[in-house]
């Protein structure tokens, strides 16, 4: 008996970008929900404040897209934001860059194996998914922070 299998492409590159940008919109609203002082100072259990996590997302997003597109893995070298306004401005600038740069990724680069930033070896799509998963994971941490501050976080399903 032979079992037939079918290859199914579940998501297109455009679908992946739309999904990521939906998560980025939600993370942006999470950043907005924090009072300025708590964004940079509040933590629980020795975890990093949410501003540090947001900066981590900024340091990953565009450099990962550039690396997947070109095979050149250059770390983020821009300024480190010190206010909520600066974080949101940089967030918005990167959101625009993702929309511009993502469609330029050659299709074969999604499957090509690279060692991103000398650390993470895998296909380009896995590195992109790592950035998305990392943002989702740490956004959950931000939700815990907001709730412990008595602030209702944004609805996670409104992306």
């Amino acid at each position: 008996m032979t079992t037939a299998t079918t290859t199914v492409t579940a998501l297109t590159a455009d679908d992946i970008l739309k999904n990521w940008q939906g998560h980025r919109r939600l993370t942006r609203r999470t950043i907005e929900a924090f009072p300025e002082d708590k964004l940079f100072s509040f933590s629980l259990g020795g975890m990093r404040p949410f501003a540090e996590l947001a900066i981590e997302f900024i340091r990953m997003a565009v450099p990962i897209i550039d690396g997947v597109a070109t095979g050149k893995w250059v770390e983020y070298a821009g300024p480190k934001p010190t206010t909520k306004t600066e974080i949101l401005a940089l967030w918005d600038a990167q959101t625009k860059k993702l929309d511009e740069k993502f469609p330029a990724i050659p299709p074969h680069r999604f499957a090509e194996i690279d060692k991103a930033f000398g650390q993470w070896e895998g296909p380009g799509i896995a590195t992109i998914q790592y950035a998305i998963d990392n943002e989702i994971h740490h956004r959950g941490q931000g939700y815990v922070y907001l709730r412990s501050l008595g602030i209702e976080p944004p609805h996670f399903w409104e992306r």
Side-chain angles (χ1 to χ4, degrees), residues 14-158:
D14 188 52
D15 292 335
I16 294 164
L17 177 59
K18 285 177 184 174
N19 178 58
W20 193 0
Q21 292 291 36
H23 283 291
R24 288 182 58 81
R25 284 189 297 275
L26 182 52
T27 300
R28 189 188 197 287
R29 289 198 313 277
T30 305
I31 296 166
E32 288 176 320
F34 274 87
E36 179 88 22
D37 64 326
K38 301 300 183 193
L39 178 62
F40 287 87
S41 64
F42 187 80
S43 71
L44 294 170
M47 295 184 290
R48 296 175 285 167
F50 198 68
E52 288 185 34
L53 302 174
I55 292 165
E56 177 180 302
F57 310 149
I58 288 167
R59 293 183 70 227
M60 293 176 74
V62 172
I64 283 177
I65 296 310
D66 286 340
V68 170
T70 67
K72 297 175 186 164
W73 298 92
V74 179
E75 292 190 23
Y76 174 80
K80 182 176 181 181
T82 58
T83 66
K84 181 167 37 172
T85 300
E86 289 174 355
I87 289 175
L88 292 172
L90 189 50
W91 192 268
D92 293 343
Q94 280 203 335
T95 296
K96 185 177 176 183
K97 285 182 183 178
L98 288 176
D99 281 337
E100 293 167 359
K101 292 177 174 238
F102 202 96
I105 299 172
H108 72 276
R109 291 289 298 151
F110 288 97
E112 207 164 297
I113 305 295
D114 267 350
K115 195 165 193 176
F117 308 109
Q119 312 180 62
W120 310 311
E121 190 168 359
I125 187 62
T127 305
I128 292 167
Q129 191 60 55
Y130 175 85
I132 297 168
D133 291 346
N134 184 62
E135 182 177 326
I136 294 166
H137 165 76
H138 285 305
R139 187 176 61 235
Q141 185 175 331
Y143 274 43
V144 171
Y145 288 176
L146 288 171
R147 289 192 184 281
S148 67
L149 291 167
I151 300 168
E152 181 74 20
H155 299 295
F156 76 89
W157 58 86
E158 292 178 358

